[in-house]
Amino acid sequence: MKKIISASRRTDLPAFFPEWLAAALRAGRADFIGPAGRGRTVVLEPGDVHTLVLWSKNYSALLRGRHGLRDLLVRFDQLYIFFTITGLGGTFIEPGVPAPGEALSQLPELVRLAGDARRVSVRFDPVVFWRESGRMRSNLDFFDRLAPKAAALGIRDVRFSFAQWYRKAVRRARKRGLDFVDPPVGEKRAAAASLAARARGLGLRLHACSQDILAGIEGIRPSACINGPLLEALHPAQERASHAKDTTQRRECRCTRSVDIGSYTQVCPHACLYCYAHLGPA
């Protein structure tokens, strides 16, 4: 069975390491440091890869064809593209991320690159709450700008989650002066139900990523971001993919097996305050 390659949950390869990714695809192998600190090698020959899954908050380098990356990607049978757009780009919460308008402008070309809008999923992830000048703020309202754009392009799947404040992220947020708020479960469920109603009205499917606290809300399904059965169905030749749970992910994660070729040693300059992976000063 061919592998599903994830590039990458651990860092933003398309935005900040396109030269490394292009070199790996050109060589037919990725050499990198895994989470346990050990060196790993993964074969990336197109004939051995079922689907190449891309994750990013900024695809501008890829779309401009830098380092020949775009031409290398189209050699693979199938691309599946995750594009994270939270509406916080360019703010002190996501200082290195493109502004929302710039990010949204990349969507049409990503659909063309994937060859099918069903192979593109928008990640409205995470939803963040904070206090600023005595007022409660969040990025929830940006969904009303994002969702119609995605739906108009034929995109049907939107993933989201509420920010999970890991200890490293808490230290970083406090150091940067972010007075973040982690609302109680009832408020999160009410906000999620509102998002689901808006998504349903546009024909969008809303998936909650690793958030079992939202179980049972109408219109929200648990997310398998990397979804073997879906990738199998979308594959040009309907080639089989693994349906087994990826046991390297969190307990609440529904993703199926893939091989991630990113490394936490590839520091992501997006510097998002909530991120568990950013290795800058905490």
Side-chain angles (χ1 to χ4, degrees):
M1 190 179 296
K2 293 181 180 179
K3 302 183 294 291
I4 295 170
I5 299 295
S6 170
S8 161
R9 287 182 173 96
R10 298 172 189 149
T11 190
D12 196 324
L13 293 175
F16 296 114
F17 304 96
E19 184 174 13
W20 179 90
L21 182 56
L25 296 179
R26 197 172 283 116
R29 55 180 280 169
D31 299 304
F32 60 98
I33 305 297
R38 301 190 187 95
R40 287 202 61 191
T41 296
V42 173
V43 174
L44 296 179
E45 294 293 346
D48 295 322
V49 175
H50 182 283
T51 303
L52 182 56
V53 179
L54 300 173
W55 313 68
S56 186
K57 292 183 176 179
N58 183 6
Y59 283 99
S60 60
L62 187 163
L63 295 177
R64 291 198 304 267
R66 286 183 55 196
H67 312 295
L69 181 56
R70 184 169 183 154
D71 291 338
L72 289 162
L73 289 172
V74 298
R75 299 182 307 155
F76 289 85
D77 287 344
Q78 178 166 243
L79 299 177
Y80 194 92
I81 298 173
F82 288 110
F83 193 15
T84 301
I85 313 176
T86 66
L88 296 170
T91 70
F92 76 110
I93 296 175
E94 293 184 355
V97 177
E102 181 184 346
L104 288 170
S105 71
Q106 297 178 25
L107 270 174
E109 192 59 29
L110 289 174
V111 170
R112 283 190 285 272
L113 177 63
D116 188 324
R118 295 175 298 170
R119 296 190 184 113
V120 178
S121 178
V122 171
R123 295 182 61 86
F124 180 56
D125 185 8
V127 175
V128 183
F129 297 85
W130 72 98
R131 292 186 188 89
E132 188 175 338
S133 302
R135 297 178 56 196
M136 183 72 79
R137 301 281 306 278
S138 86
N139 57 325
L140 272 172
D141 288 345
F142 180 71
F143 189 79
D144 291 330
R145 184 177 172 192
L146 170 65
K149 295 277 190 184
L153 291 167
I155 295 168
R156 289 294 171 259
D157 293 303
V158 177
R159 265 93 181 170
F160 84 105
S161 73
F162 294 99
Q164 298 187 50
W165 290 96
Y166 298 94
R167 281 180 293 180
K168 179 190 287 188
V170 167
R171 291 196 301 269
R172 186 184 306 113
R174 288 173 176 164
K175 185 174 181 179
R176 304 291 194 276
L178 174 64
D179 185 12
F180 71 88
V181 176
D182 189 14
V185 170
E187 291 184 20
K188 290 178 180 177
R189 287 180 63 87
S194 176
L195 289 179
R198 285 179 267 173
R200 191 162 55 248
L202 292 165
L204 295 170
R205 294 184 290 260
L206 196 60
H207 306 256
C209 190
S210 293
Q211 305 232 300
D212 286 354
I213 60 169
L214 305 180
I217 297 175
E218 183 181 359
I220 296 179
R221 61 190 74 186
S223 179
C225 297
I226 294 184
N227 183 335
L230 174 65
L231 296 178
E232 191 173 277
L234 292 175
H235 193 278
Q238 282 78 56
E239 289 196 8
R240 292 183 60 224
S242 175
H243 292 201
K245 176 179 169 56
D246 188 339
T247 57
T248 68
Q249 303 303 318
R250 293 172 289 178
R251 179 186 60 80
E252 295 180 17
C253 178
R254 301 316 202 267
C255 284
T256 57
R257 285 178 184 164
S258 65
V259 181
D260 199 296
I261 61 170
S263 173
Y264 291 126
T265 63
Q266 295 165 306
V267 178
C268 176
H270 284 319
C272 302
L273 296 188
Y274 51 75
C275 186
Y276 63 87
H278 174 57
L279 299 183

